[in-house]
Amino acid sequence: MSDIEYILEATNIVKKFPGVDALKGVDLRVKKGEILGLVGENGAGKSTLMKCIIGIHPPTSGEIKFDGRQLNKFSTSDALSMGISYIQQELSPIEYRPIMENIWVGREPRNRFGLVDHKQMYEDTKELLLSIGMDEDPKMLVRDLTVAKQQMIEIAKAVSYDAKLIIMDEPTSALSGSEITELFSIMRKIKQEGKSIIYISHKLDEIYTITDRVVVLRDGEFIGAKAIDEIDVNQMIEMMVGRKVTDLFPKVKCEICDVKLEVQNLSSGKEFQDVSFDVREGEILGIAGLVGSGRTALIETIFGIRKRTAGHVFIDGQEVNIKSPADAIANGMAFLTEDRRLNGIFPMLSVKTNIIVANLNNLINKTGLLNTKLVNMKSLEYIDAIQIKTPSQDQLVMNLSGGNQQKVLVGRWLMTEPEILFLDEPTRGIDVGTKSEIHRLISQLAGQGKSIVMVSSELPEILGMSDRVVVLSQGKLTGILENSDELTQEIVMQYATNNMS
Amino acid sequence: MNSKNSEKLSKIKQLVSKYGIALILVGMVILMTILKPQSFPSAKNILNILNQSAIVGIMALGMTIVIISKGIDLSVGSVLALAGVVAASLSQTSAASIKVFESLGQQPIFVAILAALAVGAAAGAISGGLIAFTGIPAFISTLGMMTIARGIVFLYTQGQPVSKLSDGMLFFGSNVFEVIPVPVIVYGIMIIITAIILGYTRFGKSVYAIGGNINAAEVSGIKVKRNIVLIYIFAGVTAALASILFTGRVASVHPGSATGYELTVIAATTIGGTSHSGGIGTVWGAVVGTLILSVLTNGFTLLGIDPYWQQIVQGMIIVGAVVLDMRKNAKKA
Ligand SMILES: Nc1ncnc2c1ncn2[C@@H]1O[C@H](COP(=O)(O)OP(=O)(O)OP(=O)(O)O)[C@@H](O)[C@H]1O
Ligand SMILES: [Mg+2]
């Protein structure tokens, strides 16, 4: 045998859920001191495999060996004490407790009377936060942090276990550029200490930047393992999807007609001030800017979620006074929120109900009752169109993979066929193959004359999809750029950092 | 409005949202002091209010821990009655004509106390065990326990009150140094113990974690099931302690005793700012909530107001307190 040392050897892992074979005999080996990328489409089984390793789900069958030891029937706390720590795909903070208690929960430092030593905990936290470049007060409640900071806290927590293997399930989906850089430098340090990391992401550029090796899963099966410098991105996508994805941004040039929505001198408190732009029928308007530049606040204000403190909004040339999302919906708008778990999903309801719930008025028959036939047809149509991976339309949404839960919401809003559609990070956490599907749907809607306003942190998406790009920087409009071949990521970034030469 | 004024206003708002419920108590006390300057603020009346608070107050401490963990315990009234009749039956004097145990002589008081505590802990362990290991909701598990415990009380006593109790038991209804009621002392000690448990032990932190986000608690390696059982045992023990004070005070435990207490206890806890969505609550809140109810009763008696009004006001305070809390905890937009 070779003398490579593996920290983790999972062999022939099978995991069955009622109606779903999530893992069909997967092998996963992680070497000591390596960063292993784990990729695959939404629902491929990545998170499920990790949950088997950390002891959340016992595998139906298979063998797990960690640090040379065979593991049988173990709990999460066993896994943690053996040296495996885990950053979950879904953020899971204890919102009303301070940062320090979130980090040390279950292993709080104690004094000689056996009581929790708050001072020690405070200092440990302070030090830990500094080491990852944060200077928040450890006593701050986690709910008062932004989603990105909450994610950084989860990362700090996982690091603080001093584990031999850290599992990171899509840790960057809520992070901005500088935080991602910070995370990567933390990861490199961990690797230098001879520890290992499993890194899951749909952002393939990250996979190439940080990992040493990748393992590809598809439909619960092991497809292959490759050193990162032996596989190019097209090969990787082909392994993930099982076919060639030719066009990530299937943008059709559509006819752009009259101005549909016009915003004049709009402000909302400190979030953004004096922003004016318009969107025409059949146009896709991209909104770019750094995290915190006011992008989300801007569209939330137009949609009536946030209070407008100054400015006017016109639809079809008529001024409208939108004070609530209900007003906005009545005016033909729809909004796909960024924070889907908090603001959108009904986890205990079926996929079908989640898809149709914003559309009930169009699905009733003459007696005012739901037209079940139509409901089933429509929901199947959308499950098909955006390829939601679910055993049936009656599956509870909480049993879907993270990315598929997001697709359900995309489906819900696309189904309302709005006149004006706001999309906030429409493809976050969604795999490459489906990304292209969602882009095609968006493009199709624009082709039908709808107006689309799309916020995205992914510049390739902005450049690949938009007709024009509105750029914000620190709450101010810095440019409205016509999208052409000359427009590059660098130019947009210059406007976003307000650093024009 | 000028900026100074609005600054003042926002300061007041901050104060109200931080100490909201304590301010209501202070307001009630001030109002009563103005209305009844002679009788209300006297030492005797204040000790009386505290004495009246002790039984509900101790159970509210247990309930606070339960509700922080996102649970509920409907059984505390019945468990009080059960622990009470058991304690009383073990402390009947030989002079008693109807005895639960015909041939049993008078027992030392600690036997009665330990028996009561064991009953409370066992009831809590069963409710908590059912919740943790079968996954049924706390509401159902403790509703079952409430009915079962009451049934056992009637079986145990054959429907008769248990009376003629030893001096040892009656001590718990008396005063030390002629002035300080024993229940007030027990209540004070329990407040301190609970504050330490909730604020300074890993168990206490785990309670907040379980109620705040059970998934996070599990993934952080907390033994959730074991902690849930402990939480309900603690609640059962507070009911048992309350039963000793109750038995000492009334000197005769009727099988129908303490019916409906669970709702008063839940009310006190809720008024005290413990959130039924879990993860939020404090011992001080539980104390303040209990005192608000006691001052209300005391005030209405002193003022000679129709006691039916008291129920109406109490209901309004419960709802008002929760509305206040919701606003405090609402996500800042
Ligand atoms: N608790 C559950 N009950 C039933 N099915 C489940 C459950 N958890 C996961 N599944 C199913 O198992 C499959 C794999 O899901 P998993 O979450 O592992 O995917 P993933 O690769 O992490 O995808 P994503 O990139 O979207 O996060 C999916 O089809 C999902 O619907
Ligand atoms: Mg996943």
PDB file of all heavy atoms in Angstrom, chain B residues 171-203:
ATOM      1  N   PHE B 171     -44.458  24.614  60.267  1.00  0.00           N
ATOM      2  CA  PHE B 171     -43.376  25.593  60.291  1.00  0.00           C
ATOM      3  C   PHE B 171     -43.284  26.338  58.958  1.00  0.00           C
ATOM      4  O   PHE B 171     -43.025  27.536  58.909  1.00  0.00           O
ATOM      5  CB  PHE B 171     -42.053  24.887  60.598  1.00  0.00           C
ATOM      6  CG  PHE B 171     -40.836  25.731  60.345  1.00  0.00           C
ATOM      7  CD1 PHE B 171     -40.465  26.731  61.236  1.00  0.00           C
ATOM      8  CD2 PHE B 171     -40.061  25.530  59.204  1.00  0.00           C
ATOM      9  CE1 PHE B 171     -39.354  27.508  60.990  1.00  0.00           C
ATOM     10  CE2 PHE B 171     -38.943  26.305  58.956  1.00  0.00           C
ATOM     11  CZ  PHE B 171     -38.594  27.302  59.861  1.00  0.00           C
ATOM     12  N   PHE B 172     -43.546  25.626  57.860  1.00  0.00           N
ATOM     13  CA  PHE B 172     -43.396  26.247  56.532  1.00  0.00           C
ATOM     14  C   PHE B 172     -44.464  27.290  56.239  1.00  0.00           C
ATOM     15  O   PHE B 172     -44.382  27.998  55.246  1.00  0.00           O
ATOM     16  CB  PHE B 172     -43.354  25.174  55.447  1.00  0.00           C
ATOM     17  CG  PHE B 172     -42.074  24.406  55.474  1.00  0.00           C
ATOM     18  CD1 PHE B 172     -41.992  23.175  56.106  1.00  0.00           C
ATOM     19  CD2 PHE B 172     -40.921  24.943  54.920  1.00  0.00           C
ATOM     20  CE1 PHE B 172     -40.803  22.490  56.150  1.00  0.00           C
ATOM     21  CE2 PHE B 172     -39.726  24.262  54.968  1.00  0.00           C
ATOM     22  CZ  PHE B 172     -39.653  23.031  55.587  1.00  0.00           C
ATOM     23  N   GLY B 173     -45.477  27.344  57.119  1.00  0.00           N
ATOM     24  CA  GLY B 173     -46.464  28.406  56.949  1.00  0.00           C
ATOM     25  C   GLY B 173     -46.286  29.501  57.987  1.00  0.00           C
ATOM     26  O   GLY B 173     -47.100  30.430  58.054  1.00  0.00           O
ATOM     27  N   SER B 174     -45.237  29.404  58.782  1.00  0.00           N
ATOM     28  CA  SER B 174     -45.098  30.348  59.903  1.00  0.00           C
ATOM     29  C   SER B 174     -44.055  31.432  59.596  1.00  0.00           C
ATOM     30  O   SER B 174     -43.562  31.529  58.483  1.00  0.00           O
ATOM     31  CB  SER B 174     -44.703  29.575  61.156  1.00  0.00           C
ATOM     32  OG  SER B 174     -43.395  29.044  60.962  1.00  0.00           O
ATOM     33  N   ASN B 175     -43.767  32.224  60.614  1.00  0.00           N
ATOM     34  CA  ASN B 175     -42.770  33.285  60.460  1.00  0.00           C
ATOM     35  C   ASN B 175     -41.548  32.965  61.301  1.00  0.00           C
ATOM     36  O   ASN B 175     -41.668  32.362  62.362  1.00  0.00           O
ATOM     37  CB  ASN B 175     -43.332  34.621  60.954  1.00  0.00           C
ATOM     38  CG  ASN B 175     -44.499  35.075  60.104  1.00  0.00           C
ATOM     39  OD1 ASN B 175     -44.658  34.625  58.977  1.00  0.00           O
ATOM     40  ND2 ASN B 175     -45.322  35.935  60.658  1.00  0.00           N
ATOM     41  N   VAL B 176     -40.374  33.375  60.827  1.00  0.00           N
ATOM     42  CA  VAL B 176     -39.221  33.302  61.711  1.00  0.00           C
ATOM     43  C   VAL B 176     -39.044  34.665  62.358  1.00  0.00           C
ATOM     44  O   VAL B 176     -39.332  35.692  61.733  1.00  0.00           O
ATOM     45  CB  VAL B 176     -37.922  32.878  60.989  1.00  0.00           C
ATOM     46  CG1 VAL B 176     -37.956  31.403  60.690  1.00  0.00           C
ATOM     47  CG2 VAL B 176     -37.702  33.679  59.735  1.00  0.00           C
ATOM     48  N   PHE B 177     -38.554  34.687  63.556  1.00  0.00           N
ATOM     49  CA  PHE B 177     -38.450  35.921  64.365  1.00  0.00           C
ATOM     50  C   PHE B 177     -39.786  36.650  64.387  1.00  0.00           C
ATOM     51  O   PHE B 177     -39.824  37.879  64.376  1.00  0.00           O
ATOM     52  CB  PHE B 177     -37.370  36.873  63.840  1.00  0.00           C
ATOM     53  CG  PHE B 177     -36.056  36.211  63.585  1.00  0.00           C
ATOM     54  CD1 PHE B 177     -35.427  36.299  62.338  1.00  0.00           C
ATOM     55  CD2 PHE B 177     -35.431  35.477  64.595  1.00  0.00           C
ATOM     56  CE1 PHE B 177     -34.215  35.678  62.116  1.00  0.00           C
ATOM     57  CE2 PHE B 177     -34.202  34.866  64.371  1.00  0.00           C
ATOM     58  CZ  PHE B 177     -33.593  34.959  63.132  1.00  0.00           C
ATOM     59  N   GLU B 178     -40.867  35.894  64.310  1.00  0.00           N
ATOM     60  CA  GLU B 178     -42.212  36.478  64.370  1.00  0.00           C
ATOM     61  C   GLU B 178     -42.575  37.314  63.137  1.00  0.00           C
ATOM     62  O   GLU B 178     -43.725  37.652  62.955  1.00  0.00           O
ATOM     63  CB  GLU B 178     -42.361  37.410  65.612  1.00  0.00           C
ATOM     64  CG  GLU B 178     -41.961  36.772  66.903  1.00  0.00           C
ATOM     65  CD  GLU B 178     -43.084  35.931  67.481  1.00  0.00           C
ATOM     66  OE1 GLU B 178     -44.176  36.492  67.678  1.00  0.00           O
ATOM     67  OE2 GLU B 178     -42.884  34.715  67.679  1.00  0.00           O
ATOM     68  N   VAL B 179     -41.596  37.718  62.325  1.00  0.00           N
ATOM     69  CA  VAL B 179     -41.943  38.658  61.253  1.00  0.00           C
ATOM     70  C   VAL B 179     -41.740  38.101  59.854  1.00  0.00           C
ATOM     71  O   VAL B 179     -42.579  38.298  58.967  1.00  0.00           O
ATOM     72  CB  VAL B 179     -41.161  39.981  61.372  1.00  0.00           C
ATOM     73  CG1 VAL B 179     -41.811  40.876  62.405  1.00  0.00           C
ATOM     74  CG2 VAL B 179     -39.697  39.742  61.659  1.00  0.00           C
ATOM     75  N   ILE B 180     -40.627  37.438  59.600  1.00  0.00           N
ATOM     76  CA  ILE B 180     -40.330  37.063  58.212  1.00  0.00           C
ATOM     77  C   ILE B 180     -40.960  35.714  57.891  1.00  0.00           C
ATOM     78  O   ILE B 180     -40.609  34.696  58.479  1.00  0.00           O
ATOM     79  CB  ILE B 180     -38.819  36.992  57.965  1.00  0.00           C
ATOM     80  CG1 ILE B 180     -38.176  38.313  58.409  1.00  0.00           C
ATOM     81  CG2 ILE B 180     -38.532  36.730  56.496  1.00  0.00           C
ATOM     82  CD1 ILE B 180     -36.673  38.280  58.346  1.00  0.00           C
ATOM     83  N   PRO B 181     -41.878  35.698  56.939  1.00  0.00           N
ATOM     84  CA  PRO B 181     -42.528  34.427  56.599  1.00  0.00           C
ATOM     85  C   PRO B 181     -41.515  33.446  55.998  1.00  0.00           C
ATOM     86  O   PRO B 181     -40.685  33.838  55.168  1.00  0.00           O
ATOM     87  CB  PRO B 181     -43.577  34.822  55.560  1.00  0.00           C
ATOM     88  CG  PRO B 181     -43.731  36.298  55.672  1.00  0.00           C
ATOM     89  CD  PRO B 181     -42.428  36.825  56.166  1.00  0.00           C
ATOM     90  N   VAL B 182     -41.577  32.202  56.427  1.00  0.00           N
ATOM     91  CA  VAL B 182     -40.680  31.178  55.893  1.00  0.00           C
ATOM     92  C   VAL B 182     -40.758  31.093  54.358  1.00  0.00           C
ATOM     93  O   VAL B 182     -39.726  31.002  53.690  1.00  0.00           O
ATOM     94  CB  VAL B 182     -40.979  29.811  56.547  1.00  0.00           C
ATOM     95  CG1 VAL B 182     -40.148  28.714  55.905  1.00  0.00           C
ATOM     96  CG2 VAL B 182     -40.718  29.879  58.035  1.00  0.00           C
ATOM     97  N   PRO B 183     -41.958  31.151  53.760  1.00  0.00           N
ATOM     98  CA  PRO B 183     -42.013  31.070  52.289  1.00  0.00           C
ATOM     99  C   PRO B 183     -41.176  32.154  51.611  1.00  0.00           C
ATOM    100  O   PRO B 183     -40.591  31.908  50.554  1.00  0.00           O
ATOM    101  CB  PRO B 183     -43.502  31.267  51.976  1.00  0.00           C
ATOM    102  CG  PRO B 183     -44.204  30.789  53.188  1.00  0.00           C
ATOM    103  CD  PRO B 183     -43.318  31.152  54.348  1.00  0.00           C
ATOM    104  N   VAL B 184     -41.114  33.336  52.216  1.00  0.00           N
ATOM    105  CA  VAL B 184     -40.342  34.415  51.585  1.00  0.00           C
ATOM    106  C   VAL B 184     -38.865  34.029  51.559  1.00  0.00           C
ATOM    107  O   VAL B 184     -38.161  34.255  50.566  1.00  0.00           O
ATOM    108  CB  VAL B 184     -40.549  35.742  52.343  1.00  0.00           C
ATOM    109  CG1 VAL B 184     -39.652  36.828  51.770  1.00  0.00           C
ATOM    110  CG2 VAL B 184     -42.007  36.160  52.266  1.00  0.00           C
ATOM    111  N   ILE B 185     -38.407  33.402  52.659  1.00  0.00           N
ATOM    112  CA  ILE B 185     -37.005  32.991  52.703  1.00  0.00           C
ATOM    113  C   ILE B 185     -36.721  31.907  51.664  1.00  0.00           C
ATOM    114  O   ILE B 185     -35.756  31.982  50.905  1.00  0.00           O
ATOM    115  CB  ILE B 185     -36.656  32.474  54.120  1.00  0.00           C
ATOM    116  CG1 ILE B 185     -36.826  33.629  55.113  1.00  0.00           C
ATOM    117  CG2 ILE B 185     -35.249  31.924  54.162  1.00  0.00           C
ATOM    118  CD1 ILE B 185     -36.720  33.212  56.554  1.00  0.00           C
ATOM    119  N   VAL B 186     -37.614  30.919  51.604  1.00  0.00           N
ATOM    120  CA  VAL B 186     -37.420  29.848  50.615  1.00  0.00           C
ATOM    121  C   VAL B 186     -37.434  30.428  49.198  1.00  0.00           C
ATOM    122  O   VAL B 186     -36.602  30.074  48.355  1.00  0.00           O
ATOM    123  CB  VAL B 186     -38.524  28.775  50.766  1.00  0.00           C
ATOM    124  CG1 VAL B 186     -38.353  27.689  49.702  1.00  0.00           C
ATOM    125  CG2 VAL B 186     -38.481  28.162  52.151  1.00  0.00           C
ATOM    126  N   TYR B 187     -38.354  31.346  48.957  1.00  0.00           N
ATOM    127  CA  TYR B 187     -38.454  31.973  47.636  1.00  0.00           C
ATOM    128  C   TYR B 187     -37.148  32.693  47.304  1.00  0.00           C
ATOM    129  O   TYR B 187     -36.583  32.520  46.218  1.00  0.00           O
ATOM    130  CB  TYR B 187     -39.637  32.945  47.619  1.00  0.00           C
ATOM    131  CG  TYR B 187     -39.947  33.596  46.281  1.00  0.00           C
ATOM    132  CD1 TYR B 187     -39.616  32.978  45.081  1.00  0.00           C
ATOM    133  CD2 TYR B 187     -40.605  34.834  46.223  1.00  0.00           C
ATOM    134  CE1 TYR B 187     -39.916  33.574  43.866  1.00  0.00           C
ATOM    135  CE2 TYR B 187     -40.916  35.434  45.019  1.00  0.00           C
ATOM    136  CZ  TYR B 187     -40.563  34.800  43.837  1.00  0.00           C
ATOM    137  OH  TYR B 187     -40.866  35.394  42.641  1.00  0.00           O
ATOM    138  N   GLY B 188     -36.644  33.444  48.270  1.00  0.00           N
ATOM    139  CA  GLY B 188     -35.391  34.175  48.051  1.00  0.00           C
ATOM    140  C   GLY B 188     -34.250  33.234  47.698  1.00  0.00           C
ATOM    141  O   GLY B 188     -33.508  33.473  46.730  1.00  0.00           O
ATOM    142  N   ILE B 189     -34.148  32.146  48.422  1.00  0.00           N
ATOM    143  CA  ILE B 189     -33.065  31.195  48.144  1.00  0.00           C
ATOM    144  C   ILE B 189     -33.227  30.594  46.745  1.00  0.00           C
ATOM    145  O   ILE B 189     -32.271  30.478  45.979  1.00  0.00           O
ATOM    146  CB  ILE B 189     -33.057  30.068  49.209  1.00  0.00           C
ATOM    147  CG1 ILE B 189     -32.696  30.662  50.574  1.00  0.00           C
ATOM    148  CG2 ILE B 189     -32.067  28.973  48.830  1.00  0.00           C
ATOM    149  CD1 ILE B 189     -32.836  29.693  51.731  1.00  0.00           C
ATOM    150  N   MET B 190     -34.463  30.266  46.397  1.00  0.00           N
ATOM    151  CA  MET B 190     -34.706  29.666  45.074  1.00  0.00           C
ATOM    152  C   MET B 190     -34.404  30.651  43.946  1.00  0.00           C
ATOM    153  O   MET B 190     -33.964  30.256  42.862  1.00  0.00           O
ATOM    154  CB  MET B 190     -36.154  29.174  44.965  1.00  0.00           C
ATOM    155  CG  MET B 190     -36.379  27.798  45.556  1.00  0.00           C
ATOM    156  SD  MET B 190     -35.203  26.573  44.932  1.00  0.00           S
ATOM    157  CE  MET B 190     -35.827  26.322  43.260  1.00  0.00           C
ATOM    158  N   ILE B 191     -34.672  31.936  44.186  1.00  0.00           N
ATOM    159  CA  ILE B 191     -34.349  32.934  43.156  1.00  0.00           C
ATOM    160  C   ILE B 191     -32.848  32.906  42.886  1.00  0.00           C
ATOM    161  O   ILE B 191     -32.398  32.849  41.736  1.00  0.00           O
ATOM    162  CB  ILE B 191     -34.788  34.345  43.598  1.00  0.00           C
ATOM    163  CG1 ILE B 191     -36.316  34.437  43.631  1.00  0.00           C
ATOM    164  CG2 ILE B 191     -34.230  35.401  42.644  1.00  0.00           C
ATOM    165  CD1 ILE B 191     -36.838  35.746  44.212  1.00  0.00           C
ATOM    166  N   ILE B 192     -32.084  32.904  43.974  1.00  0.00           N
ATOM    167  CA  ILE B 192     -30.630  32.925  43.810  1.00  0.00           C
ATOM    168  C   ILE B 192     -30.149  31.653  43.110  1.00  0.00           C
ATOM    169  O   ILE B 192     -29.370  31.698  42.147  1.00  0.00           O
ATOM    170  CB  ILE B 192     -29.946  33.088  45.184  1.00  0.00           C
ATOM    171  CG1 ILE B 192     -30.298  34.468  45.749  1.00  0.00           C
ATOM    172  CG2 ILE B 192     -28.437  32.929  45.057  1.00  0.00           C
ATOM    173  CD1 ILE B 192     -29.896  34.655  47.195  1.00  0.00           C
ATOM    174  N   ILE B 193     -30.652  30.511  43.564  1.00  0.00           N
ATOM    175  CA  ILE B 193     -30.221  29.246  42.955  1.00  0.00           C
ATOM    176  C   ILE B 193     -30.550  29.229  41.460  1.00  0.00           C
ATOM    177  O   ILE B 193     -29.728  28.879  40.619  1.00  0.00           O
ATOM    178  CB  ILE B 193     -30.895  28.044  43.661  1.00  0.00           C
ATOM    179  CG1 ILE B 193     -30.335  27.914  45.085  1.00  0.00           C
ATOM    180  CG2 ILE B 193     -30.671  26.756  42.876  1.00  0.00           C
ATOM    181  CD1 ILE B 193     -30.963  26.794  45.888  1.00  0.00           C
ATOM    182  N   THR B 194     -31.784  29.639  41.134  1.00  0.00           N
ATOM    183  CA  THR B 194     -32.179  29.585  39.727  1.00  0.00           C
ATOM    184  C   THR B 194     -31.370  30.567  38.896  1.00  0.00           C
ATOM    185  O   THR B 194     -30.988  30.268  37.757  1.00  0.00           O
ATOM    186  CB  THR B 194     -33.684  29.886  39.577  1.00  0.00           C
ATOM    187  OG1 THR B 194     -34.394  29.153  40.565  1.00  0.00           O
ATOM    188  CG2 THR B 194     -34.170  29.505  38.207  1.00  0.00           C
ATOM    189  N   ALA B 195     -31.091  31.744  39.474  1.00  0.00           N
ATOM    190  CA  ALA B 195     -30.305  32.724  38.729  1.00  0.00           C
ATOM    191  C   ALA B 195     -28.921  32.160  38.426  1.00  0.00           C
ATOM    192  O   ALA B 195     -28.384  32.348  37.330  1.00  0.00           O
ATOM    193  CB  ALA B 195     -30.189  34.026  39.518  1.00  0.00           C
ATOM    194  N   ILE B 196     -28.358  31.443  39.382  1.00  0.00           N
ATOM    195  CA  ILE B 196     -27.033  30.850  39.139  1.00  0.00           C
ATOM    196  C   ILE B 196     -27.130  29.748  38.080  1.00  0.00           C
ATOM    197  O   ILE B 196     -26.346  29.697  37.137  1.00  0.00           O
ATOM    198  CB  ILE B 196     -26.450  30.289  40.458  1.00  0.00           C
ATOM    199  CG1 ILE B 196     -26.107  31.454  41.391  1.00  0.00           C
ATOM    200  CG2 ILE B 196     -25.204  29.452  40.175  1.00  0.00           C
ATOM    201  CD1 ILE B 196     -25.644  31.038  42.764  1.00  0.00           C
ATOM    202  N   ILE B 197     -28.128  28.907  38.222  1.00  0.00           N
ATOM    203  CA  ILE B 197     -28.277  27.813  37.247  1.00  0.00           C
ATOM    204  C   ILE B 197     -28.416  28.366  35.836  1.00  0.00           C
ATOM    205  O   ILE B 197     -27.748  27.934  34.904  1.00  0.00           O
ATOM    206  CB  ILE B 197     -29.522  26.948  37.583  1.00  0.00           C
ATOM    207  CG1 ILE B 197     -29.253  26.145  38.853  1.00  0.00           C
ATOM    208  CG2 ILE B 197     -29.864  26.015  36.422  1.00  0.00           C
ATOM    209  CD1 ILE B 197     -30.398  25.248  39.259  1.00  0.00           C
ATOM    210  N   LEU B 198     -29.277  29.374  35.700  1.00  0.00           N
ATOM    211  CA  LEU B 198     -29.580  29.859  34.357  1.00  0.00           C
ATOM    212  C   LEU B 198     -28.438  30.706  33.791  1.00  0.00           C
ATOM    213  O   LEU B 198     -28.141  30.652  32.598  1.00  0.00           O
ATOM    214  CB  LEU B 198     -30.875  30.677  34.408  1.00  0.00           C
ATOM    215  CG  LEU B 198     -31.706  30.735  33.139  1.00  0.00           C
ATOM    216  CD1 LEU B 198     -31.888  29.375  32.508  1.00  0.00           C
ATOM    217  CD2 LEU B 198     -33.067  31.344  33.452  1.00  0.00           C
ATOM    218  N   GLY B 199     -27.790  31.468  34.639  1.00  0.00           N
ATOM    219  CA  GLY B 199     -26.789  32.407  34.130  1.00  0.00           C
ATOM    220  C   GLY B 199     -25.368  31.884  34.154  1.00  0.00           C
ATOM    221  O   GLY B 199     -24.530  32.346  33.387  1.00  0.00           O
ATOM    222  N   TYR B 200     -25.096  30.926  35.021  1.00  0.00           N
ATOM    223  CA  TYR B 200     -23.691  30.582  35.249  1.00  0.00           C
ATOM    224  C   TYR B 200     -23.357  29.109  35.128  1.00  0.00           C
ATOM    225  O   TYR B 200     -22.299  28.681  35.563  1.00  0.00           O
ATOM    226  CB  TYR B 200     -23.253  31.093  36.633  1.00  0.00           C
ATOM    227  CG  TYR B 200     -23.275  32.597  36.716  1.00  0.00           C
ATOM    228  CD1 TYR B 200     -24.411  33.281  37.117  1.00  0.00           C
ATOM    229  CD2 TYR B 200     -22.151  33.334  36.348  1.00  0.00           C
ATOM    230  CE1 TYR B 200     -24.453  34.660  37.159  1.00  0.00           C
ATOM    231  CE2 TYR B 200     -22.162  34.718  36.393  1.00  0.00           C
ATOM    232  CZ  TYR B 200     -23.313  35.372  36.798  1.00  0.00           C
ATOM    233  OH  TYR B 200     -23.331  36.738  36.828  1.00  0.00           O
ATOM    234  N   THR B 201     -24.277  28.306  34.601  1.00  0.00           N
ATOM    235  CA  THR B 201     -23.894  26.904  34.410  1.00  0.00           C
ATOM    236  C   THR B 201     -24.041  26.542  32.937  1.00  0.00           C
ATOM    237  O   THR B 201     -24.783  27.186  32.196  1.00  0.00           O
ATOM    238  CB  THR B 201     -24.803  25.938  35.213  1.00  0.00           C
ATOM    239  OG1 THR B 201     -26.134  26.034  34.707  1.00  0.00           O
ATOM    240  CG2 THR B 201     -24.792  26.278  36.696  1.00  0.00           C
ATOM    241  N   ARG B 202     -23.340  25.500  32.556  1.00  0.00           N
ATOM    242  CA  ARG B 202     -23.474  25.022  31.172  1.00  0.00           C
ATOM    243  C   ARG B 202     -24.902  24.579  30.909  1.00  0.00           C
ATOM    244  O   ARG B 202     -25.426  24.781  29.823  1.00  0.00           O
ATOM    245  CB  ARG B 202     -22.527  23.852  30.935  1.00  0.00           C
ATOM    246  CG  ARG B 202     -21.123  24.306  30.687  1.00  0.00           C
ATOM    247  CD  ARG B 202     -20.289  23.168  30.154  1.00  0.00           C
ATOM    248  NE  ARG B 202     -18.914  23.620  30.009  1.00  0.00           N
ATOM    249  CZ  ARG B 202     -17.890  22.811  29.801  1.00  0.00           C
ATOM    250  NH1 ARG B 202     -18.093  21.516  29.712  1.00  0.00           N
ATOM    251  NH2 ARG B 202     -16.676  23.300  29.668  1.00  0.00           N
ATOM    252  N   PHE B 203     -25.522  23.984  31.936  1.00  0.00           N
ATOM    253  CA  PHE B 203     -26.912  23.579  31.762  1.00  0.00           C
ATOM    254  C   PHE B 203     -27.772  24.792  31.386  1.00  0.00           C
ATOM    255  O   PHE B 203     -28.558  24.747  30.437  1.00  0.00           O
ATOM    256  CB  PHE B 203     -27.427  22.928  33.048  1.00  0.00           C
ATOM    257  CG  PHE B 203     -28.917  22.706  33.074  1.00  0.00           C
ATOM    258  CD1 PHE B 203     -29.501  21.768  32.254  1.00  0.00           C
ATOM    259  CD2 PHE B 203     -29.731  23.456  33.914  1.00  0.00           C
ATOM    260  CE1 PHE B 203     -30.875  21.565  32.267  1.00  0.00           C
ATOM    261  CE2 PHE B 203     -31.114  23.270  33.932  1.00  0.00           C
ATOM    262  CZ  PHE B 203     -31.682  22.320  33.100  1.00  0.00           C
TER     263      PHE B 203
END
